[in-house]
Amino acid sequence: MNTKMFYSSILMFMVGFSMMSCSDSEPVVETPDLRIEFNERLHSRVVSKLQDNEVLLSGFRPTEYITINGEDITDFELMSVESETVRGDLGRGSALILTGESGVIKKTVTVETYQNYPSVAVFNVSYENIGNEPVTVREWVSHNYQMPNNTPETYSHSFWSYQSESTSRRNDWVLPVGEGFSQQNYMGMNNSDYGGGTPVLSLWGPEAGLAIGHLEMVPKLISMPVNMASNDYVDFRILYDKEEELQPGGSVSTFETFVRVQKGDYFGSLIDYRNMMIDKGIEFPEVHPSSYETQWCAWGYEREFTMDQVYGTLPKVDDLHYHWAVLDDGWQTNVGDWDLNPGKYPNGNEDMIEFVNTLHNEGFRSKLWWAPLAMHPESNIYETDPEYLLLDEDLEPVRISWWNSYYMCPAYQPVVDYHTDLVRTIMETWGYHGIKIDGQHLNAAPPCYNPAHNHDRPEESHEAMASFFKAIYDTGTDIVDDALIEICPCGTAYAFHNLPYMTQGVSSDPTSSWQVRHKGRTLKALMGRDTPFFGDHVELSRGREDFASQVGIGAIIGTKFTWPVGAGPNPATDLTPEREEIWSKWSEIYEEKRLAEGQYIGELYDIGFDRPETHVVQKDNRLYFGIYADQNPGKDPNDAGTYQGAVELRGLQDGVTYRVSDYENGVDFGTVIGPVASVEASFTNHLLLEAVPQ
């Protein structure tokens, strides 16, 4: 073995913050929050220092390795260790550089820590062929951790997790993990038109946890598999599977990845991830007040709506104080053509302009549904511009299931131009204030092999989705400064790189009220604590009327009711007199509190292990607690939950007295004193509390 450099005198940088050092046996990366130790085989382990007592989150393992000629190369003889100071996009920090060798492969691991992110370590790993013959690389793995199960049996689940896999099953994004659990979390396409996600994985117990992910500026086709074969521990890692030949002297580098220690749930890890990506150059849009307004959508009438039905419902929409009116699917001749349906608009543009003007004259803001990048096989554009199609390896179109259509390629400039021209028609010619962009196929795109597009790599189509949405966003906001650009990826886990190009997130066809709430929590972390988050049509929630799961987390309320009774195709959307009373009540509560404009404080409660499930919004120096008893994964999402006992109120100012009340029902709970207090409560499904400093 070559001399191990600087074992006794590695530079200590920014004393009190970050230390890179080596004892006689192991190099160490250390910050006030974490410690990562390496051994002589370049295996590592992670220790959290966030708790009073240090917590070992993964024992020594080959955390970064590569597969060469069908063999996993996991053990590398440590050859050298160096340290240096760094100053880059993430601020000031330190780097530890370790090299090791295994046969013909030389491995270099660079671990960086930053003053601004004491819970995070950033990894860059490269593998060089130092032999005389080419070798075949099959895959590389980073952050291969095995977290022990230390959860007491008093809890119902061993671990909780944030897993951003997008499939046709439309799984929860936040879900428990126990013995027998397995999920791949592939960020590419898991079905023909379901894929993408946020490249962050988080697992935690009641004491501590880990988050891992990548920091690349475009989506990458990684997997983040989670497996819990036994009750003793859970395995997870980042994996990139792509075969390539590595010539002598050649090297392959991993993506820039990170590991973060956490105490509590995933919220803080997503906050750090968002901030790191902002530091690296991602910009989020300015929030306009109109983005917080309530919404009524004509989708209750479905595709066969008539304009008389829509016009006839508007007075009731106004009575209930909904401010956005959304025309949904069915206005067009075909998916892909986006010409006006002559049966509904016999005078073409003139009729659509008249409708939009009517909305505006009656005090509504206007939004139009649209499913870009989809091309129906019977559309005119399929005949006239077949080169727009995204083709698979067999040069066949890729199917979009819900619209019975095919993908267009977002990386092909004529496709981008076609869609920005449509945005100009919608917002400039017809006069709409916003666009509801809809479809599970919009979260990601498959690799494109269409020879007409001259892609350097098939993955360009997958990586170009964000730039496609940027073109739409820029075009729309150039026409209407405060345009509402909503992207609803229909049950998929939002692809982070698309988020800067929409002004409103949505719970995106939730299957339960639990999904409404944890999706809102997630997007408040990824897009900003005060980001406008639309809870989607309340008819998709528990009992079709759970406005409390929207209001209590700081979401915007919305509905697709039909009126009068019997006017729509489905009685479930009828605005009966009984429902009208409920709708009116919650509209008044929303308008009075407008919690969507507040700051979501997600660090105070662990959404997995704390009971009852609690969310906090801060607004006008007041704290609002949304407390829920019905979160029970694996059970019927419409089952009513109940809770009786103490409710802990966190986040109060130390020594300050607060008056606590149930702002839904006007019940006084008396006064409490911060920083932490509790009240006794008994409720079904939810309790909404307001704490006002005295």
Side-chain angles (χ1 to χ4, degrees), residues 254-294:
T254 68
F255 305 133
E256 187 170 51
T257 62
F258 71 90
V259 59
R260 182 186 187 274
V261 295
Q262 60 186 54
K263 181 179 182 180
D265 70 25
Y266 69 110
F267 187 83
S269 291
L270 291 191
I271 289 283
D272 266 3
Y273 170 69
R274 162 188 159 85
N275 289 336
M276 287 189 289
M277 294 302 288
I278 290 173
D279 287 346
K280 290 171 72 67
I282 282 184
E283 298 180 5
F284 281 83
E286 177 185 357
V287 176
H288 294 282
S290 61
S291 298
Y292 294 108
E293 301 298 347
T294 52

Side-chain angles (χ1 to χ4, degrees), residues 26 34-39 43-49 54-64 123 142-150 159 203 207-212 232-237 259-262:
E26 56 185 29
L34 66 79
R35 185 169 68 252
I36 300 176
E37 303 168 355
F38 290 86
N39 65 18
H43 295 189
S44 68
R45 66 179 185 180
V46 182
V47 176
S48 172
K49 299 166 58 181
E54 293 185 353
V55 178
L56 180 65
L57 292 174
S58 181
F60 279 112
R61 291 176 58 76
T63 46
E64 288 74 39
F123 279 63
S142 289
H143 305 293
N144 176 37
Y145 299 123
Q146 193 174 83
M147 192 155 61
N149 179 12
N150 298 320
F159 297 99
L203 287 109
E207 188 177 31
L210 286 174
I212 59 176
D232 297 329
Y233 52 80
V234 59
D235 288 304
F236 53 101
R237 63 194 184 278
V259 59
R260 182 186 187 274
V261 295
Q262 60 186 54

